[in-house]
């Protein structure tokens, strides 16, 4: 990326604080990431910090229904999912300290008090807690995140929750003091507020935003910019009204209505001159001239997303499907891969419990609907999770995908489900199970890791970036990674394949093509006689990027689109095209060679979905394709039941 920032260096750190008003969940994370993306395209080095006011030390012990998925960093930090947005938008590598929680701050202060660092003084919220927050922010803001060991120049700080929450008061007070600590010219406040449009009146209402800004100013922070979130575009009269009542100029009121994709958000911000406004406010000394190709990759990405003609349907078989954010990174990885393959992602989230035999008796409608969606899909993903609930549904869908030659990607628990299914139905070990699901079982093909402490859940898993070494050249996933000898991916698990049974599984046809550096842990599994039956113990979705999709997810989308063999036969290179009007479809470059692609929509007939199977074909029709001897008894019984 070419830099066009001024030759004048910015030795003083600049801070952008993003706060929220009216309601939570209105896109502060995406807006903060988008602002950072704009500044990075201006040639500045950007880092980010997410503040979560809850008392938990980190997000590691949260249920996915609390705050969505737990995002894992290279250093093993279990953090809020917004840090995943920052990494994907800014293409940086953050650290566990980039996620600040009330628990971390209080733990730090209490540890100092126990050591006697406060020399017998009374420890209070002000000044000790607020000082600790400011010191933490200043320290982390200067930590390199780009891999070039250069200090960042701009730090974007997102304060979670909404202004007025009692949990966030110490942080608001800390930043009131912080603006004097770093000087007012080096920090600006961006306040994100909802501007509702009641259906009864049809007009946008500004009173909630006025009240939110008034409360923020009453706490000592005056917003420099107000980002107005709305469902539909806001007209100029509403913008001027907010300007008048909230003590900012009309140019400082930024309007963001719902967009077709998050890739459009940086473009919408820049259309309203955000980079110029920030440059003036923080004295960033940016060149006022914008080159023609400024943010071109984002424009191309947004345009491409809006003009996809063909779709690919993927079924996600999970345990937490009631909240989409539970699988935020998985969904982003699928979207990035689909976009690289010129496909619109049609995602169907299925509760694993609805695929179990018990659901057939208790919830027959959901049971048949779930299996119908599975049978209609072009591909299947079985993501990670914990606990027994829904495990048999995951095992059942793995069996269906294997016997019906349907592309499948298993991640973490998905790999374990595939191993259990293969052990039961190919090796004939009916009692095969996981130690997590059946502690008293007789044949644990999945066992607990020796370093796991069952009495302490937080931070005791195998976490962070680890190296996986390929053991075979005959591997689809190795080709997708660019035929490298090893890969480094992030992990988050407590259980793994039992090494005692690996030889039997491989003799039966299940190949573990990737191991850890010691050769003891099974990291990647593939079936050779299958279009794409791949599973990995690590979580490849944590390292996906909009223009650099995760290879396992890319393989799933390619296989589901009927393009994987063509892609691999060309050395993981896209087909040549002579002009945008060419009917030949482009295929994505491998991640290690990825460059900007054109926006030409794909026209391949292979992308068209086949007619869906009838209800009578589900799920027992899957078993009709050369079942193993151990499966034949179940086959006849299932046919009769349907």
């Amino acid at each position: 990326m070419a830099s066009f920032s001024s030759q004048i260096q910015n030795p003083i750190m600049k801070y952008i604080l993003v706060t929220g008003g009216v309601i939570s969940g209105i896109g502060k994370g995406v807006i903060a990431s988008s602002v950072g993306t704009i500044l990075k395209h201006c040639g500045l080095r950007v880092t980010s910090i997410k503040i979560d006011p809850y008392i938990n030390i980190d997000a590691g012990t949260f249920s996915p229904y609390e705050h969505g998925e737990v995002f894992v960093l290279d250093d093993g930090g279990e953090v809020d999912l917004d840090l995943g947005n920052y990494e994907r938008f800014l293409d940086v590598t953050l650290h566990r300290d980039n996620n600040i929680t009330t628990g971390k701050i209080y733990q730090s202060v209490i540890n100092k008090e126990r050591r006697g660092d406060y020399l017998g003084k009374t420890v209070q919220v002000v000044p000790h807690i607020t000082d600790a927050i400011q010191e933490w922010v200043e320290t982390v803001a200067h930590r390199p995140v780009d891999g070039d060991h250069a200090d960042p120049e701009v730090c974007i700080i997102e304060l979670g929750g909404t202004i007025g929450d009692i949990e966030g008061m110490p942080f608001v007070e800390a930043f009131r003091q912080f603006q004097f600590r770093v000087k007012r010219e080096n920090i600006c406040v961006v306040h994100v507020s909802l501007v509702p449009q009641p259906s009864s009146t049809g007009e946008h209402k500004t009173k909630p935003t006025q009240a939110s800004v008034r409360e923020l100013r009453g706490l000592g922070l005056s917003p420099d910019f107000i980002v107005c979130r709305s469902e539909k575009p806001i007209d100029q009269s509403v913008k001027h009204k907010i300007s008048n009542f909230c003590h900012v100029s009309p140019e400082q009121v930024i309007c963001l209505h719902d967009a077709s994709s998050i890739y459009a958000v940086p473009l919408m911000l820049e259309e309203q001159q955000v980079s110029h406004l920030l440059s003036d406010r923080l004295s960033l000394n940016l060149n006022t001239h914008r080159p023609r190709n400024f943010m071109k990759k984002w424009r191309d990405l947004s345009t491409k997303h809006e003009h996809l003609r063909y779709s690919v349907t993927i079924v996600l078989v999970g345990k937490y499907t009631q909240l989409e954010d539970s699988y935020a990174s998985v969904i982003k990885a699928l979207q990035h891969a689909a976009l690289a393959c010129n496909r619109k992602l049609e995602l169907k989230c299925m509760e694993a419990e609805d695929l179990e035999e018990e659901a057939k008796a208790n919830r027959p409608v959901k049971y048949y609907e779930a299996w119908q969606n599975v049978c209609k899909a072009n591909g299947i993903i079985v993501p990670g999770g914990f606990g027994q609930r829904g495990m048999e549904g995951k095992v059942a869908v793995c069996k269906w995908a294997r016997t019906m030659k349907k592309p499948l990607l298993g991640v973490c628990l998905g790999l374990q489900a595939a191993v259990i299914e293969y052990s039961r139905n190919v090796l004939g070990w009916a009692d095969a199970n996981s130690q997590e699901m059946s502690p008293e079982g007789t044949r644990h093909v999945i066992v607990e890791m020796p370093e796991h402490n069952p009495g302490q859940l937080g931070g005791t898993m195998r976490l962070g970036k680890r190296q996986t070494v390929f053991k075979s050249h005959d591997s689809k996933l190795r080709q997708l990674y660019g035929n490298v000898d090893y890969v480094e991916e992030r992990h988050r698990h407590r259980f793994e394949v039992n090494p005692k049974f690996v030889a039997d599984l491989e003799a039966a046809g299940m190949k573990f093509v990737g191991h850890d550096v010691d050769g003891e842990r099974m990291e990647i599994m593939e079936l050779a006689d299958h279009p794409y039956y791949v599973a990995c113990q690590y979580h490849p979705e944590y390292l996906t990027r909009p223009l650099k999709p995760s290879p396992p997810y890319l393989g799933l989308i390619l296989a589901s689109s009927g393009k994987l063999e063509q892609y691999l036969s060309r050395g993981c290179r896209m087909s040549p095209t002579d002009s945008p009007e060419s009917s030949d479809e482009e295929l994505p470059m491998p991640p290690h060679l990825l460059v900007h692609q054109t926006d030409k929509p794909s026209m391949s007939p292979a992308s068209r979905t086949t007619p869906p199977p009838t209800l009578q074909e589900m799920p027992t029709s899957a078993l009709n394709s050369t079942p193993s001897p151990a499966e034949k008894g179940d086959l006849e019984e299932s046919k009769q039941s349907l």
Side-chain angles (χ1 to χ4, degrees):
M1 178 183 64
S3 168
F4 62 95
S5 60
S6 169
Q7 297 298 318
I8 301 175
Q9 297 299 312
N10 293 300
I12 300 175
M13 174 64 68
K14 305 293 184 178
Y15 299 89
I16 300 173
L17 175 64
V18 180
T19 63
V22 184
I23 62 171
S24 60
I26 55 174
K28 293 193 303 295
V30 173
I31 291 168
S33 302
S34 299
V35 170
T37 299
I38 293 170
L39 294 178
K40 193 165 184 180
H41 278 79
C42 291
L44 297 171
R45 294 186 297 274
V46 182
T47 186
S48 57
I49 295 173
K50 172 66 189 298
I51 296 175
D52 289 302
Y54 46 67
I55 299 177
N56 303 65
I57 299 297
D58 59 29
T61 56
F62 277 145
S63 161
Y65 287 133
E66 287 288 321
H67 292 272
E69 75 166 2
V70 177
F71 191 79
V72 177
L73 303 172
D74 274 6
D75 61 7
E78 296 173 286
V79 298
D80 185 83
L81 60 84
D82 276 328
L83 273 79
N85 274 331
Y86 301 152
E87 286 203 339
R88 287 186 289 267
F89 269 72
L90 302 177
D91 196 18
V92 295
T93 301
L94 300 176
H95 315 281
R96 66 174 74 233
D97 289 340
N98 287 80
N99 191 195
I100 303 175
T101 68
T102 297
K104 286 181 179 179
I105 295 296
Y106 273 80
Q107 186 181 58
S108 169
V109 170
I110 290 171
N111 288 340
K112 288 182 178 180
E113 187 274 332
R114 292 291 84 187
R115 291 196 305 265
D117 291 2
Y118 296 117
L119 303 175
K121 292 182 179 179
T122 302
V123 180
Q124 298 174 292
V125 173
V126 180
H128 302 100
I129 296 297
T130 52
D131 283 352
I133 293 169
Q134 295 175 68
E135 291 166 6
W136 193 305
V137 168
E138 272 197 303
T139 301
V140 173
H142 288 86
R143 188 172 182 181
V145 293
D146 278 331
D148 58 2
H149 305 293
D151 285 356
E153 297 166 290
V154 179
C155 179
I156 299 174
I157 307 159
E158 179 192 349
L159 177 57
T162 57
I163 293 300
D165 293 345
I166 191 170
E167 298 93 343
M169 289 300 185
F171 293 99
V172 175
E173 171 59 22
F175 284 107
R176 185 195 67 78
Q177 300 174 21
F178 193 65
Q179 60 189 339
F180 300 107
R181 180 176 182 141
V182 300
K183 306 303 180 186
R184 189 72 180 90
E185 61 269 20
N186 296 319
I187 182 172
C188 76
V189 178
V190 177
H191 188 63
V192 183
S193 180
L194 177 68
V195 180
Q197 187 179 23
S199 57
S200 58
T201 63
E203 61 180 358
H204 289 100
K205 297 296 183 180
T206 65
K207 279 291 189 292
T209 297
Q210 294 177 41
S212 176
V213 171
R214 185 163 54 246
E215 184 165 11
L216 180 62
R217 294 181 68 194
L219 294 170
L221 289 173
S222 184
D224 299 287
F225 303 98
I226 300 174
V227 178
C228 299
R229 285 284 292 111
S230 61
E231 184 179 351
K232 298 178 181 179
I234 295 174
D235 58 37
Q236 289 297 313
S237 63
V238 175
K239 183 173 180 177
H240 282 280
K241 187 174 182 179
I242 292 172
S243 168
N244 288 335
F245 284 94
C246 296
H247 196 61
V248 293
S249 68
E251 293 75 21
Q252 292 170 287
V253 179
I254 312 297
C255 300
L256 276 184
H257 59 272
D258 290 350
S260 58
S261 75
I262 61 173
Y263 309 123
V265 178
L267 304 176
M268 294 167 69
L269 289 173
E270 185 54 20
E271 284 174 1
Q272 298 175 67
Q273 305 296 313
V274 164
S275 62
H276 293 286
L277 293 169
L278 288 172
S279 180
D280 291 342
R281 173 63 184 81
L282 295 173
S283 301
L284 295 174
N285 300 318
L286 299 179
N287 193 325
T288 56
H289 173 69
R290 295 289 179 266
R292 178 181 296 180
N293 62 350
F294 182 64
M295 297 190 71
K296 185 177 187 300
K297 69 175 183 178
W298 283 96
R299 296 183 191 280
D300 292 343
L301 204 61
S302 180
T303 302
K304 185 176 184 180
H305 181 272
E306 293 173 1
H307 293 87
L308 296 173
R309 296 189 184 181
Y310 291 93
S311 62
V312 58
T313 303
I314 302 294
V315 161
L316 185 153
V317 180
K319 301 173 54 154
Y320 320 108
T321 57
Q322 295 177 31
L323 180 65
E324 186 176 294
D325 277 351
S326 299
Y327 298 105
S329 291
V330 171
I331 294 172
K332 295 300 180 190
L334 290 169
Q335 290 173 343
H336 297 166
L339 201 55
C341 297
N342 295 310
R343 292 291 186 277
K344 179 180 179 182
L345 177 67
E346 299 287 350
L347 184 65
K348 306 288 185 182
C349 295
M350 297 291 107
E351 273 290 331
E353 283 184 299
D354 292 339
L355 297 168
E356 297 177 348
E357 283 299 309
E358 182 182 347
K360 183 178 176 181
N362 300 332
R363 304 182 302 278
V365 174
K366 286 190 174 182
Y367 174 80
Y368 285 109
E369 283 180 351
W371 275 108
Q372 187 178 48
N373 280 310
V374 168
C375 292
K376 285 181 179 179
N378 303 119
I380 301 166
I381 181 166
V382 184
F386 297 94
Q388 186 175 1
R389 183 178 65 83
M391 186 61 178
E392 291 305 317
K394 290 175 180 274
V395 171
V397 82
C398 287
K399 179 180 181 179
W400 190 87
R402 176 178 61 81
T403 56
M404 286 296 290
K405 308 295 185 183
K406 183 72 71 173
L408 177 139
L409 173 62
V411 175
C412 195
L413 187 63
L415 177 142
Q416 298 170 17
V419 170
I420 292 170
E421 186 279 320
Y422 205 81
S423 300
R424 291 177 183 175
N425 300 310
V426 177
L427 290 172
W429 298 341
D431 58 343
N433 214 325
S434 167
Q435 189 176 356
E436 179 184 13
M437 313 304 165
S438 178
E440 306 302 325
T442 56
R443 196 191 300 267
H444 291 141
V445 293
I446 306 297
V447 294
E448 192 175 37
M449 295 186 304
E451 63 264 42
H452 170 225
N453 178 4
Q456 185 83 17
L457 295 181
T460 57
M461 293 182 282
R462 189 165 185 249
L463 293 164
K465 182 181 280 190
R466 308 292 179 103
Q467 193 176 102
T468 295
V469 181
F470 284 104
K471 297 296 183 181
S472 170
H473 287 277
D474 185 18
S475 163
K476 290 185 175 70
L477 202 52
R478 183 170 189 169
Q479 293 180 66
L480 288 165
Y481 273 109
N483 284 313
V484 295
D485 294 328
Y486 67 89
V487 294
E488 291 183 323
E489 296 277 6
R490 297 174 181 177
H491 294 66
R492 186 177 187 252
H493 63 101
R494 288 194 180 95
F495 295 84
E496 60 190 5
V497 178
N498 192 339
K500 186 168 67 174
F501 298 112
V502 168
D504 294 319
L505 289 163
E506 292 202 311
M510 177 172 276
K511 302 301 181 184
F512 294 98
V513 299
H515 300 176
D516 73 336
V517 291
D518 298 321
E520 297 175 354
R521 291 189 164 99
M522 304 300 110
E523 294 281 357
I524 302 173
M525 178 277 293
E526 294 184 19
L527 293 184
D529 59 343
H530 195 286
Y532 193 78
Y533 195 89
V534 173
C536 45
Q537 187 60 70
Y538 53 80
H539 290 262
E541 64 271 14
Y542 290 143
L543 292 179
T544 184
R545 299 290 187 265
L547 294 174
K548 187 180 178 183
S550 169
Y553 286 87
L554 180 62
L556 174 64
I557 299 297
L558 284 168
S560 302
S561 304
K563 293 294 180 182
L564 180 60
E565 293 304 321
Q566 179 188 6
Y567 180 71
L568 296 178
S569 67
R570 288 176 172 165
C572 294
R573 292 178 181 274
M574 63 180 178
S575 61
T577 53
D578 297 327
S579 68
E581 291 75 23
S582 172
S583 61
D584 191 15
E585 183 183 23
E586 292 183 356
L587 291 176
M589 295 287 285
H592 67 297
L593 296 174
L594 199 61
V595 295
H596 172 70
Q597 302 177 46
T598 65
D599 296 325
K600 180 184 62 59
S602 75
M603 299 292 292
S604 171
S607 65
R608 301 187 181 108
T609 57
T610 56
T614 63
L615 193 61
Q616 286 72 24
E617 294 177 311
M618 306 176 299
T620 54
S621 65
L623 305 176
N624 288 333
S625 58
T626 60
S628 66
E631 296 170 327
K632 289 183 178 178
D634 293 336
L635 169 60
E636 294 301 323
E637 182 180 352
S638 298
K639 282 183 177 179
Q640 293 172 9
S641 67
L642 284 176

PDB file of all heavy atoms in Angstrom, residues 95 118 176 199 210 213 327 412 443 462 566 578:
ATOM      1  N   HIS A  95      -2.682  -8.044  20.744  1.00  0.00           N
ATOM      2  CA  HIS A  95      -2.231  -8.811  21.898  1.00  0.00           C
ATOM      3  C   HIS A  95      -3.323  -8.818  22.961  1.00  0.00           C
ATOM      4  O   HIS A  95      -4.259  -8.012  22.917  1.00  0.00           O
ATOM      5  CB  HIS A  95      -0.945  -8.201  22.457  1.00  0.00           C
ATOM      6  CG  HIS A  95       0.060  -7.841  21.395  1.00  0.00           C
ATOM      7  ND1 HIS A  95       0.869  -8.771  20.795  1.00  0.00           N
ATOM      8  CD2 HIS A  95       0.354  -6.651  20.800  1.00  0.00           C
ATOM      9  CE1 HIS A  95       1.634  -8.176  19.889  1.00  0.00           C
ATOM     10  NE2 HIS A  95       1.338  -6.885  19.877  1.00  0.00           N
ATOM     11  N   TYR A 118       1.450   1.004  47.098  1.00  0.00           N
ATOM     12  CA  TYR A 118       0.775   2.269  47.389  1.00  0.00           C
ATOM     13  C   TYR A 118       1.182   2.846  48.747  1.00  0.00           C
ATOM     14  O   TYR A 118       0.594   3.829  49.211  1.00  0.00           O
ATOM     15  CB  TYR A 118      -0.743   2.080  47.326  1.00  0.00           C
ATOM     16  CG  TYR A 118      -1.229   1.707  45.940  1.00  0.00           C
ATOM     17  CD1 TYR A 118      -1.848   0.485  45.701  1.00  0.00           C
ATOM     18  CD2 TYR A 118      -1.055   2.574  44.867  1.00  0.00           C
ATOM     19  CE1 TYR A 118      -2.289   0.136  44.437  1.00  0.00           C
ATOM     20  CE2 TYR A 118      -1.484   2.230  43.592  1.00  0.00           C
ATOM     21  CZ  TYR A 118      -2.100   1.005  43.388  1.00  0.00           C
ATOM     22  OH  TYR A 118      -2.523   0.661  42.129  1.00  0.00           O
ATOM     23  N   ARG A 176     -11.693  11.367  30.875  1.00  0.00           N
ATOM     24  CA  ARG A 176     -11.826  12.803  31.155  1.00  0.00           C
ATOM     25  C   ARG A 176     -10.479  13.348  31.614  1.00  0.00           C
ATOM     26  O   ARG A 176     -10.046  14.428  31.174  1.00  0.00           O
ATOM     27  CB  ARG A 176     -12.884  13.034  32.233  1.00  0.00           C
ATOM     28  CG  ARG A 176     -13.158  14.529  32.494  1.00  0.00           C
ATOM     29  CD  ARG A 176     -13.920  14.743  33.774  1.00  0.00           C
ATOM     30  NE  ARG A 176     -13.140  14.395  34.947  1.00  0.00           N
ATOM     31  CZ  ARG A 176     -12.181  15.154  35.489  1.00  0.00           C
ATOM     32  NH1 ARG A 176     -11.878  16.317  34.931  1.00  0.00           N
ATOM     33  NH2 ARG A 176     -11.523  14.763  36.559  1.00  0.00           N
ATOM     34  N   SER A 199     -42.082   3.937  12.947  1.00  0.00           N
ATOM     35  CA  SER A 199     -42.963   3.720  11.793  1.00  0.00           C
ATOM     36  C   SER A 199     -44.225   4.573  11.878  1.00  0.00           C
ATOM     37  O   SER A 199     -44.835   4.896  10.855  1.00  0.00           O
ATOM     38  CB  SER A 199     -43.337   2.247  11.707  1.00  0.00           C
ATOM     39  OG  SER A 199     -43.962   1.813  12.907  1.00  0.00           O
ATOM     40  N   GLN A 210     -29.533  13.660  21.339  1.00  0.00           N
ATOM     41  CA  GLN A 210     -29.308  14.864  22.139  1.00  0.00           C
ATOM     42  C   GLN A 210     -29.088  14.513  23.611  1.00  0.00           C
ATOM     43  O   GLN A 210     -28.171  15.035  24.258  1.00  0.00           O
ATOM     44  CB  GLN A 210     -30.500  15.814  22.011  1.00  0.00           C
ATOM     45  CG  GLN A 210     -30.706  16.413  20.626  1.00  0.00           C
ATOM     46  CD  GLN A 210     -31.938  17.285  20.570  1.00  0.00           C
ATOM     47  OE1 GLN A 210     -32.221  18.045  21.507  1.00  0.00           O
ATOM     48  NE2 GLN A 210     -32.696  17.193  19.487  1.00  0.00           N
ATOM     49  N   VAL A 213     -25.619  12.776  24.097  1.00  0.00           N
ATOM     50  CA  VAL A 213     -24.504  13.727  24.025  1.00  0.00           C
ATOM     51  C   VAL A 213     -24.481  14.613  25.266  1.00  0.00           C
ATOM     52  O   VAL A 213     -23.410  14.912  25.817  1.00  0.00           O
ATOM     53  CB  VAL A 213     -24.606  14.573  22.744  1.00  0.00           C
ATOM     54  CG1 VAL A 213     -23.588  15.719  22.768  1.00  0.00           C
ATOM     55  CG2 VAL A 213     -24.385  13.711  21.519  1.00  0.00           C
ATOM     56  N   TYR A 327     -20.789 -17.383  16.079  1.00  0.00           N
ATOM     57  CA  TYR A 327     -19.898 -17.922  15.050  1.00  0.00           C
ATOM     58  C   TYR A 327     -19.411 -16.795  14.135  1.00  0.00           C
ATOM     59  O   TYR A 327     -19.285 -16.973  12.921  1.00  0.00           O
ATOM     60  CB  TYR A 327     -20.627 -18.997  14.238  1.00  0.00           C
ATOM     61  CG  TYR A 327     -21.055 -20.193  15.062  1.00  0.00           C
ATOM     62  CD1 TYR A 327     -22.381 -20.373  15.428  1.00  0.00           C
ATOM     63  CD2 TYR A 327     -20.130 -21.134  15.494  1.00  0.00           C
ATOM     64  CE1 TYR A 327     -22.782 -21.456  16.193  1.00  0.00           C
ATOM     65  CE2 TYR A 327     -20.513 -22.223  16.255  1.00  0.00           C
ATOM     66  CZ  TYR A 327     -21.841 -22.380  16.605  1.00  0.00           C
ATOM     67  OH  TYR A 327     -22.219 -23.460  17.373  1.00  0.00           O
ATOM     68  N   CYS A 412     -12.115 -28.006  15.023  1.00  0.00           N
ATOM     69  CA  CYS A 412     -11.997 -28.295  16.456  1.00  0.00           C
ATOM     70  C   CYS A 412     -12.929 -29.450  16.847  1.00  0.00           C
ATOM     71  O   CYS A 412     -12.633 -30.606  16.550  1.00  0.00           O
ATOM     72  CB  CYS A 412     -12.274 -27.029  17.264  1.00  0.00           C
ATOM     73  SG  CYS A 412     -11.748 -27.140  18.989  1.00  0.00           S
ATOM     74  N   ARG A 443     -14.113 -46.741  25.243  1.00  0.00           N
ATOM     75  CA  ARG A 443     -13.175 -46.522  24.143  1.00  0.00           C
ATOM     76  C   ARG A 443     -13.171 -45.034  23.782  1.00  0.00           C
ATOM     77  O   ARG A 443     -13.989 -44.554  23.012  1.00  0.00           O
ATOM     78  CB  ARG A 443     -13.553 -47.352  22.914  1.00  0.00           C
ATOM     79  CG  ARG A 443     -12.394 -47.458  21.883  1.00  0.00           C
ATOM     80  CD  ARG A 443     -12.889 -48.063  20.576  1.00  0.00           C
ATOM     81  NE  ARG A 443     -13.426 -49.381  20.746  1.00  0.00           N
ATOM     82  CZ  ARG A 443     -12.734 -50.519  20.608  1.00  0.00           C
ATOM     83  NH1 ARG A 443     -11.464 -50.469  20.291  1.00  0.00           N
ATOM     84  NH2 ARG A 443     -13.336 -51.679  20.769  1.00  0.00           N
ATOM     85  N   ARG A 462      -5.453 -25.326  25.351  1.00  0.00           N
ATOM     86  CA  ARG A 462      -4.338 -25.128  24.431  1.00  0.00           C
ATOM     87  C   ARG A 462      -4.701 -23.921  23.578  1.00  0.00           C
ATOM     88  O   ARG A 462      -5.573 -23.996  22.714  1.00  0.00           O
ATOM     89  CB  ARG A 462      -4.140 -26.375  23.575  1.00  0.00           C
ATOM     90  CG  ARG A 462      -2.870 -26.361  22.738  1.00  0.00           C
ATOM     91  CD  ARG A 462      -2.562 -27.750  22.206  1.00  0.00           C
ATOM     92  NE  ARG A 462      -1.305 -27.778  21.502  1.00  0.00           N
ATOM     93  CZ  ARG A 462      -1.166 -27.956  20.179  1.00  0.00           C
ATOM     94  NH1 ARG A 462      -2.233 -28.122  19.431  1.00  0.00           N
ATOM     95  NH2 ARG A 462       0.025 -27.977  19.619  1.00  0.00           N
ATOM     96  N   GLN A 566     -10.379 -28.123 -10.427  1.00  0.00           N
ATOM     97  CA  GLN A 566      -9.881 -27.206 -11.447  1.00  0.00           C
ATOM     98  C   GLN A 566      -8.867 -26.239 -10.848  1.00  0.00           C
ATOM     99  O   GLN A 566      -7.829 -25.949 -11.451  1.00  0.00           O
ATOM    100  CB  GLN A 566     -11.056 -26.450 -12.052  1.00  0.00           C
ATOM    101  CG  GLN A 566     -10.665 -25.432 -13.115  1.00  0.00           C
ATOM    102  CD  GLN A 566     -11.837 -24.579 -13.555  1.00  0.00           C
ATOM    103  OE1 GLN A 566     -12.917 -24.666 -12.992  1.00  0.00           O
ATOM    104  NE2 GLN A 566     -11.631 -23.743 -14.559  1.00  0.00           N
ATOM    105  N   ASP A 578      -9.196 -12.613 -20.572  1.00  0.00           N
ATOM    106  CA  ASP A 578      -8.723 -11.600 -21.515  1.00  0.00           C
ATOM    107  C   ASP A 578      -9.399 -10.261 -21.324  1.00  0.00           C
ATOM    108  O   ASP A 578      -8.817  -9.217 -21.598  1.00  0.00           O
ATOM    109  CB  ASP A 578      -8.952 -12.087 -22.954  1.00  0.00           C
ATOM    110  CG  ASP A 578      -8.150 -13.347 -23.235  1.00  0.00           C
ATOM    111  OD1 ASP A 578      -7.042 -13.480 -22.674  1.00  0.00           O
ATOM    112  OD2 ASP A 578      -8.643 -14.184 -24.003  1.00  0.00           O
TER     113      ASP A 578
END
